[in-house]
Structure formats: structure tokens, C-alpha cells
Amino acid sequence: MARKENNFEIRTDLAVEQRESFPGDGGEIAGVALREWRESGSAVKMSEVQILDEHGARAMGKPKGIYLTLEADGMAGNDEEEAEEIAEEFALQLRRLLLREQKKIKRGAQITPKELEGFKEPQEPKGEKVKNKADRTGFAGRRILVVGLGNAFVTPDALGPRTAGNLKVTRHLDGQFGAGFCQEKNLPLLSAIVPGVMAQTGMESAEILKGIVRETKPEMVVVIDALAARSVRRLGTTIQLTDTGIHPGSGVGNHRHGLTRESLGVPVFAVGVPTVVGATSIVHDTISSLEAWEIEEKPGWEEKLEPELRNLYVTPPDIDERIQRISRILCDGIHQALFEPETCL
Amino acid sequence: MARKENNFEIRTDLAVEQRESFPGDGGEIAGVALREWRESGSAVKMSEVQILDEHGARAMGKPKGIYLTLEADGMAGNDEEEAEEIAEEFALQLRRLLLREQKKIKRGAQITPKELEGFKEPQEPKGEKVKNKADRTGFAGRRILVVGLGNAFVTPDALGPRTAGNLKVTRHLDGQFGAGFCQEKNLPLLSAIVPGVMAQTGMESAEILKGIVRETKPEMVVVIDALAARSVRRLGTTIQLTDTGIHPGSGVGNHRHGLTRESLGVPVFAVGVPTVVGATSIVHDTISSLEAWEIEEKPGWEEKLEPELRNLYVTPPDIDERIQRISRILCDGIHQALFEPETCL
Amino acid sequence: MARKENNFEIRTDLAVEQRESFPGDGGEIAGVALREWRESGSAVKMSEVQILDEHGARAMGKPKGIYLTLEADGMAGNDEEEAEEIAEEFALQLRRLLLREQKKIKRGAQITPKELEGFKEPQEPKGEKVKNKADRTGFAGRRILVVGLGNAFVTPDALGPRTAGNLKVTRHLDGQFGAGFCQEKNLPLLSAIVPGVMAQTGMESAEILKGIVRETKPEMVVVIDALAARSVRRLGTTIQLTDTGIHPGSGVGNHRHGLTRESLGVPVFAVGVPTVVGATSIVHDTISSLEAWEIEEKPGWEEKLEPELRNLYVTPPDIDERIQRISRILCDGIHQALFEPETCL
Amino acid sequence: MARKENNFEIRTDLAVEQRESFPGDGGEIAGVALREWRESGSAVKMSEVQILDEHGARAMGKPKGIYLTLEADGMAGNDEEEAEEIAEEFALQLRRLLLREQKKIKRGAQITPKELEGFKEPQEPKGEKVKNKADRTGFAGRRILVVGLGNAFVTPDALGPRTAGNLKVTRHLDGQFGAGFCQEKNLPLLSAIVPGVMAQTGMESAEILKGIVRETKPEMVVVIDALAARSVRRLGTTIQLTDTGIHPGSGVGNHRHGLTRESLGVPVFAVGVPTVVGATSIVHDTISSLEAWEIEEKPGWEEKLEPELRNLYVTPPDIDERIQRISRILCDGIHQALFEPETCL
């Protein structure tokens, strides 16, 4: 195919899609490392894009850091067992991302490409960490704030609010039963907030969260957000985890200000699931899948479209159900990542 | 343009879109009459497609009858005055359609193309009928059943349930205050039902409604339903009224059985608003608007698409709000059409 | 205590409360049999009131038949295991009630007190019927309609709609895969309907259901409804099953017409959970629990109350959550009663 | 009647109910001033309790300040005109309370009883201020934060979230169109937040709001909250406005920490509507209305009740609808109080 794919600037919030858009899918991009794997017998396909330096960041249009992707068609389906398997895999990856950060904090060191490499291979067999070290999660007494970004009243943007709204928070237990209670019971000091969107609050999410972080002093922040993808195949079938936070222009609601270590003063992790695609992506997908057309997509055709089509984002009709199902997977996964298996709250 | 538009079989429930798909938009199709107008100063563009005979029915793929279309971009917007204007225009057209039928019932005659012609020109100045003849609506004591088709839990399919669920029903007042109460108070005997969808009930809507119609004996049935359109421009901006009922394969939920005078035994009117479009429509729209591409769309390209894309229906992210707004317009319009202006219930 | 309890006419839909209101709780009422038991280790307390003849019916103000009551404080709680146990017990009792009816239909006989006695002792160890005879549920190919009575938009009245709205219906599978499909797959022909309330539909639920029953021909009907109780202790902690259907004046919405074998032409079972109590009940509860007051409640005091208080029904503030939880228990229980354990739909 | 009313400690969040509980309703309590009036022809009954000094505060169990009460049975009804009238009256009172504070801020003075007196008589005929001074609201460019306290998922506690969630916020317009935009357009810099409850967030509302206030610097805070009343007659028929903020132990959710000028650093106004009553209040109401019983309520009877009854709060079955209606009244009223009549946002 002779299409010049990199002329496309169809918006995606997924690093793995950005990476795929480069010509010659298996090729090398300086400063960007790609790794893909699947646990044996697992329904979940994993990929990890690492943006290692400024060159990679420029090429990818995304900041340096790790971008993990979990893909499973079953995410959108009805199979409860598959949903549990996805939640477990998500829990494992989230744990690793957070624990890695925690060690770094202790050492006070910067991330180096070397260190990142160390995480290329999962060092423990799947599930072991979660299941065998039941006595110690690594998060006992740690202060973690989960943020559910997005508009609870616009379904495809409601993923964050619905996930954060169903978490088993614990931070207040120290207030009720005495400081140290959570640590002793092997619980994190988990708090959660749904800040709303600017059109509802008149405030930037970043402002609201800065205030709350300053007042309640979490050690790390995990942000849940709905994303825009390029491919309809990814709607509700992909979870992206990153240690880079949220950046301006990303998300369904198109955040104007970032939520990052720089803006909030603590490490910010982001968990995102694509729930909308641009209409132009659909056109692109269609033309790509019709090789018989032998069309060379003209560079910049999107800009010539009427604004109506150019800015049209769409979502599947059963989006209510999908959001419901995925928010439950994320919620379960966060619980598994932070709590001991048998914890009853 | 040399495209053979009639090779396209992109699905639409709108007669006006089907009509537009023929080559040479202004051209004549035997057995199909088209009329367009706009009341002076009105925000609503009206069109009327009449399918006059079997030839027209075959060409259009829709049964004989009248298909009225109200178009107004403001339907999807926030302007309350414009919403009121649309509701008023909708009320006027619904009244005319129902009253026309009522006269016919009395005469016991079949619809003839001649008769249809008689309704081409609005015979009363807009609003006069509604406002001046306040003493008589023409529906006092008439038994009318409104049906809200669709799945209340799938937003783009929830238009019918939300509209029917908010109507001011009156049929039970005769039971409470004595037979003849409604007639005396110049009220219709209005009833409403939300039958649910087959995956929820295990029954065809047609079965449920046959039973209810047989038991409660309405003189006419008005069905509200969400539709599939071809053009994204029509999503939430168009209302179609028809005297032909609902036919198999139409609607967002793709009804398997029809709701027609034949199946229910009484005249069935349908009010529909498009809330989804096929992804293939978006591709078609895009290619059409990009004349510079000089692409001849290959006949039958849709069939070559992967099923995933071919069957993908999409909806705008703010569909919740749109459905809310339009169901209110429909609800207000039905009230205005059937009740005297000052009726307090 | 010298209170004349039977002067009280505080409304209750629960036979077990009506029975308790007679003086000398253990005493005998002619024509009414009471039995109480608890499976060993079970969280559920069972009672069965049988109204055996006209005398009993007059004394109890309820028609002849069986009234089973499941009580478990955990119904309102958060414990998932306890919820499962309650659903299982409910499934067992519902199965027995329906199967008993089915046998009777075959014999074409009337219910006799003798026959009722036969069901006093559970004839199979708990769970055996449900679990061991996995190959045969007794309902394969039987046509069962579940009705969710009540107003979906008034939370304490929404129990029926939420339960019926989440059932795995199957009746349409015969239409899709050929007559006999369900029987062959050991499935019931299950259908479900939420008819709405008269203020929404303008029709009596009885009219709607008569039509649907006549058209779709179920062999039995199971009606789910929210009830009024006398004691606040019963709100959301009690399930009543009866083979007598729904009678005028019962339910949160105070049905005007009955849903019975007489009105619908097929056996009608009712499953009810109390979600409101009258304010006067609270006063009565309070005075009863304050023996120190040594008050003799004056007969007929309720009638002297201002209408505002006399007709005040109240509900707990967390009613949303409770309805959610209990509708899930009922839904799970109905599935367990009618389907084989491993059925995947 | 010989009842010692002041022995009752049935909880109420309404100053006007606390005041009524003193023996001899018309009597004087040192340090507490009571005034009642009704605009001629108005559906709204106004009362104002002023707690003038420490003595009054002790007697009333509430802090010094102004407590305005609007009462109108129509609040719970369906009459749109009456709803508008209530919203207008509420807007007028809210304006006066906020403007009065604003003047004080400028003078930097403490509230004196003298000053409070100055507000005893409405100084402008009803509506004049709102309607004639259309060119100047007094709030152009002022920074006001509205807080919707309570649990959005527990209906009787959802009044705050639903009201704050529907406000037309403006604070972000200065960010979008340049600092000074709102002032120039005669708009307030209005922001709104729904902080959630501790069981959802793990944080005290006070912590969240302290952070947000520190970061976004509003000049005043208006808190909307659902209250507990003593009399069922007040459920959804009364609005209380106060300049004292929210105090520990108040509200449906029983706030543990206060939201006051002391805790937040800016003036805090509270708008509350009772949506629950204690079951003990119902008993008290009943006994009071049955003089024929000639019962002397025993002091302290509530403490002897089983905890189940003592702590039982109840709410009317149609609470969903009432919350919907009242949140619209509050929302409209806040808009009318802060914006010019013709403002289109």
C-alpha cells in the first residue's frame, strides 16, 4: 500500500494507535520502544509503548513515559468470567505501575531508559504477586486519590464518574477509628473524587484537584477518563494505563489543562478507555479495508470536510451498557490492585 | 457527478431521504409526489412525500401513504422558543393527519390519490385550527392509544418510551368519574403504553399491542419510534409523520413485525425521529462532500466491508440530552394536537 | 396487655402480619393454619399462613390460599453470601408453589385443605430439587409470564418493574429458532411485562394484562409487586409468596382491580415485598414497645387523625439501594426456580 | 395542655421548628427575635428567626444569625405558576441575605443586633429590586461558589447535588474570553461543586471545600442541603435560608464537620429543605393531634425506644418527584437572584 499514513492527523488518545500509524508497523522509531505479549491462555493482549526520550516524545506527540495497553474483545461482551480475567490482568498491571513508582520515590531517582527496560519482562508469574503475598499489598497505609474525570450526564464521558463513584474508599476510617487504623489493617488510605466538568462547575478540573491534593495530601493520584480512539474496533475493548497523567487536549471532554506530576505535585497515573471515535476515523477505516478501491487517500482531506463532519464524534448505540460493564471491571481491578484478596469492607 | 446513487442501499427509515437518493433530485418518479414548503417566518422546513400507488411503493421500498417531514436544526439546540415553535408545527401536522383519517372512517372509504391531493395545501392558516376553535378539538371523546416503541435503557432507542411515559393520559377518567366524562370535558380518551422490546419481554411488540388494542378498543393508534437515517445532519433534527404505521425492519431496534392497520385492526400513525446513522452513511457523506477526490463510488462497496463496519450504527455523544429535548417536543406537540389550549389536568 | 388488637385496621398486605394481629399470637383461628420453621443454619425464617375456608377468609380479610413468608434481616444488608442464600430459599419456595399448581392443573382438581397439608413439610431436603435434578426443572416448555407491577419512577413502587425488567426471557427463542426449541433445551417459555400504572397509561393493569394473556397464552402468571406493611421492621426484609394473585386495594399503588385466576383465566401467583408503612403503624409500634406508658390504645384513634397523618405512607431514606438489592434477589431467585443451574443465555 | 414540650429532643434542622417547641408559642425567648409575614396575595408564608446573642444561641441550640423560612404547601404540588412565585420569593430573600453580607464585608464590621433590626422590614416592595434594577444585580463580577451537599444516589439527600448540578455557571467565561468578561456582561463569577459524601470520597466535605476555596477564591459560598424536620407537614414545603453556614450534626447525612466562615474563611450561607423526619416526630405529631387521648407524653420516652425506631428516619414515597420539583425551584431562584432577568447563557 502506498498510502502516506503519517499525514493523517486523526485524533487518538491511545499511544498504541499513534505508534501503529507509522509506516511499516514493525519498524523502529528512535526513542520509542514497543513490546507485545499475551499471557498463555489469557484473553487479554498486552502491549507496552515506552517513550524514552524527547525525540520519541516529538515523534509520538505524547510525553515521555510508559503506556500499557490491555486489549480484549470480551470487555464489551457479557461473559462474566472473561470480565473477571480482564479485571485481574488490569489489577496486576496497575499494581506494577504504582509499585514501580513507589520504589522510585524512595530512591528519589529519575526514570532512566535502563530502569524501564527492567520492567519489560513481567518478573513474577501472573497473579503471584496479587495472590501469594496476601499479607502485604505494598499499599498498606499509602495515601491514594482516585479521580473520576468526565461528565456523569453524557454517557460516553461517564466512565470516570461511574468508576470512582463505586470505589470502597477507606481514608476516612483513620478519622473514625484513629490514625494508623488503615495501616494496621493492611488497607490503603483510599479516597475518590468526581470533580465534574467545567460547564457544570465553572472551574477547571485541575483547579479543583490542586485544591483537594493540597488539602488531603495523597501520595499518588490515579485518574480515570474516557478517551477518543481512531479505530471503532477499540471502542470499549481497550484499557490504557500510563504514568504520564492527563494532558491538555486529551479525553472525550477535551481537557484544557493537564493533570500531571508538574501541576499536582505528586505522581499522576491515568487509566483510560476509548468510548468515542471521530467520524473521519470511520472513513479512514473503511477506505483502508477496501484495498480494491486502490484509492490513495489525499493528504489533508479531513481539513476540507465540512466542520459538521470533521468534528463529529460518534459512539455505539449500546454505550450505556458498555460503560456500565467497563466501569465495573475498572472498579474491581482497582480493588484487587490495592486491597488484600479477603478484605471485607 | 456520475455516481449511480441508486446502487446505494444504505438503510434509511426516512421517506424523504429515500426520495433524495434518486438521481436528479428534482426529477419525477412515477407514483411518488413530493411537495416542500415553509411557513413564512417559520424555523421549520416541511416536506411531504406521497406514495400514490404500487409502482411508487416498489420504487421507494415503502408502503403507500403520506410521509410528512419536519426539519429544523433548532430541534437539537437549546432555544426554548424554537422548541415551542417546532412543537406547534408538529401539533398542527399531527392534527391534520389524524382528522383526515377520522373523516375517512366515517365515510368508510379507501384512500385515493385524489383525496391525498386535497391535503397538499394546508387548508387553514397555521395555528388557526389549534387556537381559534378552542371549543372543539375534534378529538373529544375519541379513543386514542399512543405507543412508545423502543428500549428505555438504550438511549438512542428511548425516544418512544420517554415520550409516551410523559403524556397526560385521560382514558381512566371515564372510569373514575363516569362514562362520558371526557367527552363532556372536551377531552380525548387518551391512553399510552410502553411495550418494551423483545429481548426484555420475550414477546413481539405486535403481540402485546394486539392484545391491548383488542381489550381497550382505541379508534386509532399513534406509535412513537426512534429511526435510522442516512445523513448525520438529520440526527435529532427531523420528525417524520406517516399514516402507514410501522413496518418490519424499520426503527433503531429493527422491528420484526409490523404495526399497521392490517395487524392491529385500527388506523396506525407513526411519529419517528432519526437518532442513529450507519457508519457506511458517514463514509458516503464524506466522499460526497469531497468532490476533489473525484472518486467514483464503486457499486456495492458496503457489502465488501467487514461485518463490523457494515453493521455499525453510531449516535452522537450528547444523545442523552437530544433525546430528552425531542421527547419533550413530541410530548408537548401531542398535547397541543389533542387537547384544548387551556386544559388543566 | 389488655389492648384489643383486632380493632386496629392499620393496613397491611402481609398475611403473616394480619395473623399476628389477633389476640394471643399462638392461638387458633378457625379456618386459618399457621406454620413456622427455619432450615438448620439458614438465615431465613419461614412461615406459612393457610386460609382454608370462607370463615378463615372473612377473619383474615384475604382470600383462601397459601401465603408463604420469607424473613431475613440480611435482605436489606450488603452481605452477598446472605443475599445468595435468600435467593436460593426463595427459588425453592417459588418452585414448590408453581409445581404444586401444575400438578393440580393436570388433575383438574380443586384445592382441598387435605392437599394443602401435604405441603406443610418440605418433601425434599433443601436444595436437592434445585441442584440434583439438573436435567429436569419441571418447567421445560411451560409458558410463564412474569408481571412487574408498579410505577418505575416512584422508587418504593419500582420493585416490580426493576425485577421484571432484568429477567432472562426466552419465549421469543421459539419464534427465532423454531417451535419446540425451548422445550428441547430444557428452558421455560418465559415472558415478562411492565404494564405501568393507570396514571401513566390511562388503562387498568388488569385490562392490559387480560389483553396480553389472551394474545400470548401463558399457562401461569407470576406478579411482582411492592407492598404496604404494618411494621417498619419488615421494610425490605420480608418476601411474601401467594397463590391467590393480587386483590383490589393491595400494593403500594393500591390496585383498583384484581389480578386473579378469575380475572385472567390462568393461575396467578404473587410475590410481594413491603417497601412502605403507614405512619399510623409507626405510632402503633411505638406505643406497643413502650409498655411503661401503660396506655390503652383507644379503638378507632386512626380515624380521628387529620387526613394528612392518617394517609401518610413512609419509606426509609435508603430505599433506592434496598429496592436495587431486593430486585436482584428476586430476579436471581426466579432464574434459579425456572432454569437449570448451568443454563447460559 | 400540660406537656413539657422542651423536654423533647426530637431532632430538627429548622430554627423555626426549634422556636415553636418552646412553651407558649407567642412567648419571648431572651436573645431570639421572631417575625412572620406574608406578602399580600402571596402563596408564601415568611418567617424570620434571629438569634441575637449567646443566650439565644444556647436556648435554641443553634449559632447566632438569621434564619429565614419560606413556607408554601404548593412547593410539593404540580402548579407551575405557584412554583414560579415561590422561586421569585426565594430569589428575593437570597438576594437580600447576600447583598447585606456584601455591604458588611465592605465596611469590615461585625453583625450587630441593631443592624439585624434594619432588615426586619422588607425595604423594597417585592420584586422591585429584582425587576427594576435590571441593569445592576449587585453581583456583577463577584465570585460566588454554590455547593450541593449530600449523596446524589440517596434520593432524599440528593437535593443539593441536583440543584448545584443544574446551575448556569460562569466563572470559566473569564478564562475563555478574558479577565473582566463577566463583570462587563453584568454576570457573577458563579461556580458550583458537588463534593459527594464521605462514604463515597473518603474525605470530609469540609476538607474538599477548603481545598477548592483556597484554590479558586470565591468571596462567598452558598451551600444547598437536605434537612431533617420534626413535622411531616414540612417535608418538601419549607425552605430555610441562613447566614450561619452548616453545622456539625445537621443535614440528612449528618455532617461531622461544619462549613462556616470560620472553617472556610469566607461567608457561608445555607439553603436547606427538609426531606426526612424522624419516626419519633410522627409519634409526637400523632399524640399531639389526639387531645382526646389526654396522654401526658412521658419525658424521655424516645430514649426508651428500641434503636430501630429511635433512629428511624422516613421520607414520603413520592420523594423523587418532590426533590425534582424543589431542586428546580432552588435553581431558578438562584439564577433570578444573581443574574439580570434577560440574561441568556
Side-chain angles (χ1 to χ4, degrees), chain A residues 64-84:
Chain A
K64 272 199 309 185
I66 298 182
Y67 300 84
L68 281 162
T69 309
L70 288 80
E71 288 173 69
D73 290 343
M75 224 177 275
N78 257 324
D79 189 327
E80 289 227 358
E81 259 179 63
E82 205 168 335
E84 272 172 42

Side-chain angles (χ1 to χ4, degrees), chain B residues 22-316:
Chain B
F22 287 91
D25 281 350
E28 292 286 308
I29 305 167
V32 180
L34 174 66
R35 195 168 66 88
E36 297 182 354
W37 72 97
R38 186 192 289 269
E39 303 290 329
S40 70
S42 169
V44 184
K45 185 187 153 200
M46 295 293 313
S47 26
E48 186 187 75
V49 172
Q50 295 184 30
I51 302 183
L52 300 161
D53 55 25
E54 281 313 311
H55 185 272
R58 262 194 312 278
M60 292 284 287
K62 299 200 179 302
K64 271 198 311 183
I66 299 181
Y67 300 83
L68 280 162
T69 309
L70 289 81
E71 289 172 69
D73 291 343
M75 223 175 276
N78 257 323
D79 188 328
E80 289 226 358
E81 259 179 63
E82 205 168 336
E84 273 173 40
E85 198 184 336
I86 297 165
E88 240 173 71
E89 185 71 34
F90 166 60
L92 178 69
Q93 301 299 336
L94 179 61
R95 271 178 69 77
R96 286 176 60 208
L97 207 63
L98 299 185
L99 284 173
R100 182 179 154 286
E101 179 62 40
Q102 215 163 310
K103 285 184 206 152
K104 223 174 47 203
I105 294 173
K106 286 176 188 160
R107 291 197 310 268
Q110 281 298 310
I111 315 177
T112 67
K114 198 72 202 162
E115 283 181 338
L116 288 170
E117 301 246 316
F119 281 85
K120 273 189 170 177
E121 291 312 313
Q123 285 153 338
E124 55 285 315
K126 184 190 162 188
E128 192 194 301
K129 198 148 207 173
V130 175
K131 286 191 185 133
N132 295 356
K133 301 202 177 171
D135 55 318
R136 228 199 127 264
T137 61
F139 296 108
R142 311 309 301 244
R143 299 185 305 277
I144 302 170
L145 170 63
V146 175
V147 177
L149 282 190
N151 187 338
F153 302 105
V154 172
T155 313
D157 201 20
L159 184 76
R162 293 214 200 150
T163 304
N166 285 308
L167 287 176
K168 297 181 289 190
V169 293
T170 52
R171 181 180 170 279
H172 57 303
L173 300 179
D174 263 31
Q176 287 175 355
F177 303 112
F181 175 87
C182 285
Q183 173 118 43
E184 191 186 310
K185 297 285 183 194
N186 234 343
L187 299 169
L189 285 153
L190 185 61
S191 54
I193 190 81
V194 174
V197 297
M198 206 166 60
Q200 294 166 335
T201 65
M203 301 178 275
E204 293 274 353
S205 298
E207 292 178 296
I208 294 172
L209 293 172
K210 251 185 251 183
I212 293 174
V213 166
R214 201 184 295 180
E215 191 68 33
T216 67
K217 301 192 175 43
E219 293 165 84
M220 39 186 129
V221 170
V222 178
V223 183
I224 318 291
D225 197 13
L227 304 178
R230 187 172 290 166
S231 161
V232 293
R233 270 177 290 266
R234 294 203 182 273
L235 290 180
T237 64
T238 299
I239 303 172
Q240 176 174 275
L241 277 97
T242 175
D243 60 358
T244 62
I246 297 282
H247 290 270
S250 63
V252 167
N254 245 305
H255 311 296
R256 300 195 330 153
H257 289 230
L259 299 174
T260 61
R261 184 196 294 258
E262 285 66 42
S263 66
L264 296 187
V266 292
V268 181
F269 302 89
V271 174
V273 174
T275 64
V276 301
V277 288
T280 46
S281 304
I282 291 176
V283 177
H284 176 56
D285 273 22
T286 304
I287 294 175
S288 301
S289 79
L290 286 172
E291 300 207 13
W293 275 27
E294 289 167 9
I295 297 170
E296 273 204 38
E297 286 196 55
K298 316 272 193 227
W301 60 270
E302 299 91 342
E303 272 100 82
K304 287 176 198 140
L305 277 176
E306 297 165 50
E308 197 177 45
L309 271 170
R310 195 166 58 222
N311 299 322
L312 180 72
Y313 280 78
V314 295
T315 203

Side-chain angles (χ1 to χ4, degrees), chain A residues 237-254:
Chain A
T237 63
T238 299
I239 305 172
Q240 175 174 274
L241 277 97
T242 175
D243 60 357
T244 62
I246 299 281
H247 290 269
S250 64
V252 168
N254 244 304

Side-chain angles (χ1 to χ4, degrees), chain A residues 153-156 232-233 279 282-283 286-287 289-290 293 298 301 304-306 308 312-315 317 320, chain B residues 153-156 232-233 279 282-283 286-287 289-290 293 295 298 301 304-306 308 312-315 317 320:
Chain A
F153 302 105
V154 172
T155 313
V232 293
R233 269 177 289 265
I282 291 176
V283 176
T286 304
I287 293 175
S289 78
L290 286 172
W293 276 27
K298 317 273 193 227
W301 60 268
K304 286 176 198 140
L305 277 177
E306 297 165 51
E308 201 178 41
L312 180 72
Y313 279 79
V314 296
T315 204
D320 283 280
Chain B
F153 302 105
V154 172
T155 313
V232 293
R233 270 177 290 266
I282 291 176
V283 177
T286 304
I287 294 175
S289 79
L290 286 172
W293 275 27
I295 297 170
K298 316 272 193 227
W301 60 270
K304 287 176 198 140
L305 277 176
E306 297 165 50
E308 197 177 45
L312 180 72
Y313 280 78
V314 295
T315 203
D320 282 282

Side-chain angles (χ1 to χ4, degrees), chain C residues 153-156 232-233 276 279 282-283 285-287 289-290 292-293 295 298 301 304-306 308-309 312-317 320, chain D residues 153-156 232-233 276 279 282-283 285-287 289-290 292-293 295 298 301 304-306 308-309 312-317 320:
Chain C
F153 301 105
V154 171
T155 313
V232 293
R233 270 177 289 265
V276 301
I282 291 176
V283 176
D285 274 21
T286 305
I287 293 175
S289 78
L290 286 172
W293 276 27
I295 297 170
K298 316 272 194 228
W301 61 268
K304 287 176 198 140
L305 278 177
E306 297 166 50
E308 199 178 41
L309 272 170
L312 180 71
Y313 280 78
V314 296
T315 203
D320 283 280
Chain D
F153 301 105
V154 172
T155 313
V232 293
R233 269 177 289 266
V276 300
I282 291 176
V283 176
D285 274 22
T286 304
I287 294 176
S289 80
L290 286 173
W293 277 26
I295 298 169
K298 317 273 193 226
W301 61 269
K304 287 176 200 140
L305 278 176
E306 297 165 50
E308 198 177 43
L309 273 170
L312 180 72
Y313 279 79
V314 295
T315 203
D320 283 281

